[in-house]
């Protein structure tokens, strides 16, 4: 099973990604997690790549397609991804969509589905504000929260269209308890893959 997951900030994408991976026995591969791990390397031993990734992440920008595609290609070549995977946070650009297509074609495989977690924006903003208050995150004010939601919509609209045109997109209501949303995802995926 070869899957992608997309979802706005606060929709619980990372949590659902782990649940899906466990349910279907495939690795959940998050490019954000990979880049965070790379950038954590000790300053004294850090490679050029680690320093570069750290700077980019701090600035809030994207790591280049060249580096990102290479890192994903290497990760997908690992043994545990041979029979399936769930990618979280990738692809994020048209260039990454093409690169992923090429990686899959080289192995005579294709994607099975793209899960899109959907949630009302006002509901997400309210949720994130509450979390910021509980956790004392001063930088998570309403303005930055709304900005991140907008950026998500801007950045993913084209990608969602690509996968929708290919008949791969599955929209799932992302609001509710973690398990409840998880069950919705499994039901939607099972229905799609049986077809
Ligand atoms: P995330 O946890 O998915 O929000 O990713 C954290 C950061 O890692 C992003 O802000 C980017 O700097 C970088 N990153 C993660 N995935 C990608 C990607 N597919 N392409 C480029 N940069 C990425």
């Amino acid at each position: 099973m070869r899957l992608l997951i997309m979802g706005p900030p606060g929709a619980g994408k990372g949590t659902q990604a782990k649940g899906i991976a466990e349910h279907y026995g495939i690795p959940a591969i998050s490019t954000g997690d990979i880049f965070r791990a790379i950038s954590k390397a000790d300053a004294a031993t850090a490679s050029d790549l680690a320093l570069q990734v750290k700077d980019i992440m701090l600035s809030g920008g994207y790591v280049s397609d060249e580096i990102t595609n290479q890192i994903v290609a290497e990760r997908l070549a690992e043994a545990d991804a041979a029979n399936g995977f769930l990618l979280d946070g990738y692809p994020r650009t048209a260039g990454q969509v093409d690169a992923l297509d090429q990686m899959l074609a080289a192995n005579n495989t294709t994607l099975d589905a793209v899960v899109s977690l959907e949630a009302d924006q006002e509901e997400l903003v309210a949720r994130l504000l509450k979390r910021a208050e509980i956790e004392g995150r001063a930088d998570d004010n309403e303005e930055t929260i709304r900005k991140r939601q907008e950026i998500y919509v801007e950045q993913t609209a084209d990608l969602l269209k690509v996968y929708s045109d290919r008949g791969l997109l599955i929209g799932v209501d992302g609001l509710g308890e973690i398990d409840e949303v998880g069950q919705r995802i499994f039901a939607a995926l099972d229905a799609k893959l049986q077809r």
Side-chain angles (χ1 to χ4, degrees), residues 13 30-33 35-36 53 56-58 60-65 68 72 88-93 96:
K13 183 167 59 80
S30 151
T31 45
D33 283 354
F35 287 138
R36 267 183 290 279
V53 168
I56 294 168
M57 289 181 85
L58 282 174
Y62 277 1
V63 179
S64 71
D65 280 359
T68 306
V72 171
D88 168 2
Y90 179 94
R92 259 171 148 111
T93 66
Q96 293 179 11

Side-chain angles (χ1 to χ4, degrees), residues 62-97:
Y62 277 1
V63 179
S64 71
D65 280 359
E66 195 188 346
I67 292 174
T68 306
N69 291 332
Q70 191 179 337
I71 276 174
V72 171
E74 283 169 14
R75 180 65 189 84
L76 293 186
E78 286 178 33
D80 66 338
N83 291 318
F85 52 78
L86 170 69
L87 282 168
D88 168 2
Y90 179 94
R92 259 171 148 111
T93 66
Q96 293 179 11
V97 170

Side-chain angles (χ1 to χ4, degrees), residues 11 17 19 26 33 39 45 82 99 101 106 114 116 133 136 138 150 170 179 185:
I26 52 178
D33 283 354
S39 74
T45 57
D101 285 342
V114 177
S116 168
E133 194 186 312
E150 275 167 33
I170 305 180
D179 285 350
I185 296 173

Side-chain angles (χ1 to χ4, degrees), residues 107-149:
N107 288 315
N108 283 318
T109 57
T110 52
L111 285 176
D112 294 298
V114 177
V115 175
S116 168
L117 283 180
E118 294 167 348
D120 177 64
Q121 236 181 57
E122 291 309 312
E123 193 82 34
L124 287 178
V125 171
R127 244 203 221 187
L128 289 167
L129 275 174
K130 200 167 157 195
R131 189 170 84 186
E133 194 186 312
I134 294 168
E135 296 177 5
R137 299 191 197 182
D139 56 329
D140 273 4
N141 56 40
E142 182 158 351
E143 195 189 334
T144 56
I145 288 171
R146 284 196 186 277
K147 184 84 201 148
R148 275 187 222 126
Q149 297 288 334

